[in-house]
Amino acid sequence: MKLNELTITEAAEGLKKKKFTAVELTRACLDLIKKRNQEINAFITVSEKSALEEAKAADKLLAAGNGKALTGIPFAVKDAICTKDIRSTGSAKILDNYVPPFDATVIKKIRDLGGVLIGKNNCDAFGHGASNENSMYGPVKNPHDTSKVAGGSSGGSAAAVADNQCIFAIAEDTGGSIRQPASFCGVVGLRPSYGRNSRYGIMPMASSLDTVGPITKTVADLAIVMEAIAGRDDRDATTVPDSVPIYTKALEESLKGVKVGVPKEYYEIAGMDPEVKAATEKQIEKLKKLGAKIVDVSLPHTKYAIAVYYIIVPSEDSSNLGRLDGVRYGVRSKPSPRGRGTEGEGSSQGALYDLYAKSRATGFPEEVKRRILIGTYALSAGYYDAYYKKTQQVRTLIKQDFDKVFNPPSGGVDVLITPTSPFPAFTIGEKANDPIAMYLADVMVSPAAVAGMPALSVPAGVTKSGLPIGIQIIGARLKEAKVLNVGYQLETNN
Ligand code: GLN
């Protein structure tokens, strides 16, 4: 087995036993990126020099017996997450030259433990998309079949992990961006509960939904990374003070008596691929054999989740992206000599307006512009009540659906099981010019996001043509330990 193919658990063990060094492990990943990036396009920036320096430093820590869980482990980061001294574009040309002077909190935590940051992953620009085709740096190809998308928006992170170009990755999930690409690429991905992990240093998309989580090769690895990154952060007031459980301990717990809900609305979705349905049913059978109790449940407002999501997200997007004007960060377009604007052609205000307009017109891809327009409309006077306010009310109903099945007056379910996506990876270009079809791809992943619930995607076999299928395990708020426990049992019992 090649070093870059190891899991975190295996790599940490090998490092500890001095079977290889962190520099060798890092080089193995970097070599594969060099070979494969042209084709897969999972990385926008490879930080080879600093990675090798970090690996050397990790080797020193390990030699002195000061290694921690992630010391010397090479990882990659979605480009919509800020990394100190390493270019972070968000996959949009408007930030093509942006080098943050700071690390996002979750990245700082991993680097402080000795994790080796090897580069930045391609994604849909600012997280907008479900196929990675909205990146201004080209689409990411699925390593299992390069004619297919890797999923989105964190397609580069999922593809990099699946292709063994890194040992794990950190990505962002606002409405499925960790789970859906993880399912398309056959790896594990967790959207944590909103507030569990710090969002400080994440390029904000929709602030009331954004979360940060790991993409890994196994559930056990995911538990290790969550232990490293979860917790309260003074720099993100939405993080919760609740202590971080020892996720790795919960994995082995028996599923005897654990109640698993099967929400019928997810299984009635039009266009569900029969192979995905069959794979999910197989996992439900497996859960029964492992002693879990399967319960039919209903989440009646599920059908509104996409509509709610695609009002709230563009609204918050349009506000968050207002800061990118080509002046303070990123790429500034040259205004035309006779700028237009409210003060008239040629005025200084006209020139400034022209600069903003040009920078934004060339620096954002079409999907980002579409969302800014939709969001600005939804928030405008006269429409705010009908759109943003109304969707917030429906959002509460969706959240209450989850509360009712997880915390009824007596005996709720522990987790819910659904497919992660109604279909496996689709062909590159298939939905690229049909935004509605692309939005509908989020049908399974948007409800938990809108409600702030944790949800995990775990591989559940492959289709006849060899494309990975993922199943989703949704938990009650802050019950990541149970979600990981169920995921681990499914993954390790075949
Ligand atoms: N498909 C979702 C969207 O386009 C994914 C967003 C995300 O989780 N970043 O909004």
Side-chain angles (χ1 to χ4, degrees):
M1 196 185 231
K2 298 194 182 101
L3 293 184
N4 52 297
E5 291 172 8
L6 300 174
T7 62
I8 298 176
T9 316
E10 292 161 349
E13 179 81 4
L15 287 169
K16 204 168 138 200
K17 292 196 172 143
K18 303 202 172 12
K19 287 192 186 155
F20 47 83
T21 64
V23 170
E24 285 164 348
L25 179 61
T26 303
R27 269 199 206 285
C29 294
L30 291 170
D31 286 350
L32 190 68
I33 297 171
K34 262 185 211 151
K35 241 195 240 156
R36 301 277 288 165
N37 206 38
Q38 188 85 5
E39 185 176 17
I40 304 292
N41 201 21
F43 283 84
I44 291 177
T45 302
V46 182
S47 44
E48 177 163 0
K49 194 163 165 268
S50 59
L52 289 169
E53 279 162 19
E54 287 171 26
K56 259 187 224 155
D59 277 330
K60 276 197 192 134
L61 281 175
L62 289 158
N66 293 329
K68 307 247 170 58
L70 297 175
T71 309
I73 309 290
F75 72 109
V77 178
K78 183 176 186 173
D79 217 22
I81 300 178
C82 290
T83 46
K84 189 173 185 309
D85 300 334
I86 300 175
R87 181 168 79 131
S88 305
T89 69
S91 290
K93 291 285 179 185
I94 201 160
L95 289 183
D96 189 53
N97 58 0
Y98 177 53
V99 179
F102 69 107
D103 271 326
T105 297
V106 292
I107 305 306
K108 183 166 184 337
K109 284 185 170 182
I110 296 172
R111 286 176 119 178
D112 285 351
L113 287 172
V116 175
L117 205 172
I118 59 168
K120 301 300 295 288
N121 292 129
N122 199 347
C123 57
D124 285 299
F126 301 119
H128 301 65
S131 68
N132 218 122
E133 291 165 292
N134 296 330
S135 163
M136 292 178 96
Y137 298 83
V140 175
K141 294 186 181 160
N142 193 312
H144 295 271
D145 175 349
T146 51
S147 71
K148 304 287 178 193
V149 301
S153 63
S154 314
S157 307
V161 175
D163 203 37
N164 294 308
Q165 297 179 25
C166 58
I167 308 294
F168 74 96
I170 295 294
E172 164 275 338
D173 188 309
T174 300
S177 281
I178 288 179
R179 292 163 285 159
Q180 187 252 28
S183 80
F184 281 11
C185 292
V187 290
V188 183
L190 175 75
R191 171 199 171 84
S193 310
Y194 184 79
R196 179 70 290 183
N197 295 349
S198 168
R199 294 173 302 123
Y200 177 75
I202 312 307
M203 292 177 191
M205 178 177 160
S207 304
S208 74
L209 289 106
D210 296 344
T211 63
V212 194
I215 294 182
T216 56
K217 296 175 187 174
T218 64
V219 179
D221 277 6
L222 204 137
I224 294 172
V225 182
M226 273 300 286
E227 277 173 27
I229 64 176
R232 159 117 189 108
D233 179 12
D234 287 343
R235 290 187 154 126
D236 175 0
T238 64
T239 49
V240 294
D242 305 53
S243 63
V244 178
I246 305 181
Y247 297 114
T248 43
K249 254 201 188 156
L251 301 175
E252 305 278 353
E253 281 168 19
S254 155
L255 294 191
K256 279 220 168 62
V258 168
K259 278 201 209 154
V260 178
V262 179
K264 70 172 174 95
E265 289 76 9
Y266 286 73
Y267 294 82
E268 290 165 354
I269 280 163
M272 164 124 59
D273 184 296
E275 287 190 83
V276 170
K277 195 161 183 223
T280 313
E281 281 161 359
K282 212 169 140 193
Q283 298 298 314
I284 296 173
E285 282 310 309
K286 201 199 275 182
L287 285 170
K288 268 191 208 158
K289 281 198 197 115
L290 291 168
K293 201 169 163 239
I294 308 299
V295 192
D296 289 327
V297 295
S298 169
L299 301 165
H301 297 94
T302 300
K303 57 178 176 288
Y304 302 119
I306 292 264
V308 164
Y309 178 87
Y310 279 102
I311 293 291
I312 296 178
V313 169
S315 301
E316 296 184 11
D317 257 336
S318 69
S319 159
N320 275 327
L321 291 168
R323 77 190 68 190
L324 299 177
D325 53 12
V327 176
R328 277 161 293 189
Y329 327 99
V331 179
R332 178 190 297 218
S333 293
K334 276 207 174 64
S336 35
R338 291 164 61 79
R340 60 200 157 82
T342 49
E343 300 259 305
E345 268 196 20
S347 68
S348 60
Q349 199 203 351
L352 185 64
Y353 175 89
D354 208 54
L355 186 155
Y356 292 160
K358 272 202 173 154
S359 303
R360 288 166 70 83
T362 52
F364 289 143
E366 290 311 302
E367 179 60 24
V368 173
K369 289 184 222 173
R370 183 178 297 119
R371 293 199 191 192
I372 292 171
L373 290 174
I374 295 172
T376 305
Y377 182 81
L379 292 178
S380 59
Y383 293 104
Y384 178 88
D385 283 355
Y387 292 109
Y388 192 73
K389 200 169 156 207
K390 187 86 189 163
T391 42
Q392 290 292 13
Q393 288 161 342
V394 183
R395 181 182 194 176
T396 302
L397 296 175
I398 295 170
K399 166 88 171 50
Q400 284 170 351
D401 277 357
F402 282 105
D403 291 343
K404 279 180 197 154
V405 296
F406 285 123
N407 312 305
S410 67
V413 300
D414 294 288
V415 294
L416 298 166
I417 183 166
T418 77
T420 307
S421 161
F423 33 70
F426 44 90
T427 302
I428 294 177
E430 189 183 316
K431 298 185 198 292
N433 298 316
D434 186 348
I436 301 285
M438 196 67 90
Y439 296 170
L440 288 173
D442 299 341
V443 63
M444 305 278 183
V445 280
S446 56
V450 164
M453 302 301 188
L456 176 78
S457 182
V458 195
V462 292
T463 62
K464 281 191 205 92
S465 56
L467 290 174
I469 297 172
I471 48 139
Q472 174 174 235
I473 298 157
I474 306 173
R477 255 190 78 66
L478 299 176
K479 300 292 186 206
E480 281 81 1
K482 190 42 77 191
V483 167
L484 294 176
N485 171 215
V486 174
Y488 178 81
Q489 294 298 332
L490 285 177
E491 182 188 68
T492 52
N493 288 287
N494 275 314

